[in-house]
Amino acid sequence: MADTYTPAVTGTGIKASIQRFGGHLAGMIMPNIGAFIAWGLITALFIPTGWLPNETFAKLVGPIISMLLPILIGYTGGRMVHGQRGAVVGAVATMGVIVGTEVPMFLGAIHEIIGPLAAFLLKLVDGFTSERTKAGFEMLVDNFTAGIVGGAMALVGLVAIGPVVSAVTDVAGDAVSWLIGHSLLPLASVLIEPAKVLFLNNAINHGVLGPLGVAEAVREGKSILFMLESNPGPGLGLLLAYMFFGPRLLRPSTPAAIVIQFLGGIHEIYFPYVLMKPRLILAVIAGGASGVLVFMVTGAGLVATPAPGSIFAYLAVTPKGGWFGVLAGVVIAAAVSFVVASALLGFGRANGDQAPEAVEGGDASARTQDVVSPATADRTQPADREV
């Protein structure tokens, strides 16, 4: 499934391993991007600050982000490892993670591990029992082994994940507070942007930056702290880079994602694009730090938290006379993120887009040229070669 979204990777080095990891993330997340878009549309339209506020429709927002999306990703990851049986067990195990933490959408580090892990354990169990099960008992054994493994992993997720998530959230919050206290705000993006991609954006923004920003706004009339996490510029630049230079199969999905992210303020829509190619975290870090620097230089600030982080919400809470600094920070952040992301995507040359057309006979060595640079191709050995 991962090969649908990324080119085949050969080799045994660190770069190849990272590329394979990114391919697995893509295989788990990108098939479910339609669900992300559906959630983003519902959120942008019907929450109280949305375009068409509707209390009844808005009830869908919480369950989708906290339950449906994690389960879909756990299900898909399990299916990649062990087919339909792995998918079912992965979904059950993910449910334990959902119940075990109050921080929604901790997908980047947890839900993408628990599903495949549960499926892998079931695969080992199936390998052990397949040759030891008597004829006629296969269905009974298969159902019970899946139930036992799924239930056990759900319990592990319930009792073990909550403390981990809480600890990570506390550490991230303390680190951001330290940077704020030492006037190193641009460096805060080094922590904020990776935390956002791990879906800790709400915990940082509303749990740490929001209260500090409110206190500063009471004293000064505005606060830059409202803008550290919520700037829609870095996400816009990343999505634009994907639209022009990303894998061709993903480009059609980016215009809708841009509308939801930049206009609707639902930043979560671009997180899967970063998780698919983890090196792109550098692009959003660079964009976020550049935006914060511009905010500092121009003295920009907002009077309240822009919720959601839409450009419209930004303009709505911009104090009179502060339009230039706010818009400049958003534009610069988007431009820097776009340039860095485009370079990391090889300006369209590093995505293997030419492999299907250029290699009619499926020559593996030619396909490799889209993944490994010519300078190193002769030193790269195929992985998993049969002896």
Side-chain angles (χ1 to χ4, degrees):
M1 184 175 295
D3 292 339
T4 304
Y5 301 95
T6 57
V9 179
T10 60
T12 58
I14 295 177
K15 179 180 178 180
S17 299
I18 294 175
Q19 288 174 327
R20 289 192 188 93
F21 177 71
H24 286 302
L25 292 180
M28 293 175 62
I29 296 174
M30 300 314 297
N32 300 306
I33 198 67
F36 278 86
I37 291 176
W39 172 78
L41 288 172
I42 292 172
T43 303
L45 288 173
F46 303 124
I47 61 174
T49 55
W51 299 341
L52 301 171
N54 186 295
E55 183 177 353
T56 300
F57 293 160
K59 293 179 180 178
L60 290 169
V61 173
I64 290 177
I65 190 175
S66 63
M67 299 182 67
L68 176 61
L69 295 181
I71 290 175
L72 281 175
I73 291 181
Y75 179 94
T76 305
R79 189 181 183 89
M80 291 174 61
V81 174
H82 195 40
Q84 183 61 28
R85 283 170 56 75
V88 173
V89 170
V92 174
T94 303
M95 194 65 200
V97 176
I98 294 171
V99 177
T101 176
E102 296 180 357
V103 179
M105 292 293 294
F106 196 72
L107 301 179
I110 301 301
H111 297 142
E112 290 171 6
I113 294 176
I114 195 74
L117 178 59
F120 178 72
L121 293 178
L122 180 62
K123 186 176 182 178
L124 295 178
V125 172
D126 284 351
F128 177 81
T129 60
S130 60
E131 298 180 357
R132 295 171 174 80
T133 303
K134 294 182 179 181
F137 289 88
E138 293 89 351
M139 181 176 292
L140 177 66
V141 173
D142 286 349
N143 287 337
F144 268 89
T145 53
I148 292 171
V149 172
M153 290 301 295
L155 294 177
V156 170
L158 175 63
V159 300
I161 299 304
V164 173
V165 174
S166 298
V168 170
T169 303
D170 292 342
V171 169
D174 293 342
V176 171
S177 298
W178 184 87
L179 290 174
I180 293 172
H182 290 77
S183 300
L184 298 173
L185 286 183
L187 293 180
S189 296
V190 176
L191 298 173
I192 291 174
E193 298 301 333
K196 285 179 65 175
V197 172
L198 295 178
F199 294 88
L200 287 172
N201 50 317
N202 290 326
I204 290 179
N205 192 31
H206 300 294
V208 179
L209 300 178
L212 294 174
V214 169
E216 183 176 3
V218 170
R219 300 191 307 268
E220 308 293 338
K222 61 182 180 180
S223 175
I224 192 177
L225 302 181
F226 293 131
M227 312 165 80
L228 299 187
E229 182 275 335
S230 60
N231 188 349
L236 173 63
L238 177 83
L239 292 173
L240 287 173
Y242 257 100
M243 185 169 69
F244 291 107
F245 304 116
R248 289 181 180 176
L249 288 173
L250 298 181
R251 294 177 190 179
S253 69
T254 54
I258 288 173
V259 171
I260 292 171
Q261 187 268 339
F262 190 68
L263 302 182
I266 310 303
H267 293 201
E268 286 87 348
I269 198 71
Y270 79 82
F271 299 170
Y273 292 86
V274 179
L275 293 173
M276 190 191 74
K277 294 182 179 293
R279 66 180 180 272
L280 293 179
I281 190 64
L282 298 176
V284 290
I285 289 175
S290 301
V292 173
L293 181 60
V294 172
F295 293 149
M296 291 181 63
V297 172
T298 59
L302 302 179
V303 298
T305 300
S310 161
I311 186 62
F312 297 130
Y314 253 59
L315 297 178
V317 293
T318 298
K320 185 177 180 179
W323 309 103
F324 174 77
V326 170
L327 292 176
V330 173
V331 171
I332 293 298
V336 171
S337 179
F338 172 76
V339 171
V340 176
S342 298
L344 292 174
L345 289 170
F347 295 100
R349 298 189 299 270
N351 294 307
D353 290 338
Q354 303 303 320
E357 295 83 355
V359 188
E360 295 293 338
D363 186 349
S365 62
R367 288 195 302 269
T368 304
Q369 298 302 317
D370 291 300
V371 181
V372 184
S373 63
T376 60
D378 59 336
R379 300 197 300 271
T380 304
Q381 299 297 324
D384 303 325
R385 174 176 296 181
E386 294 183 2
V387 180

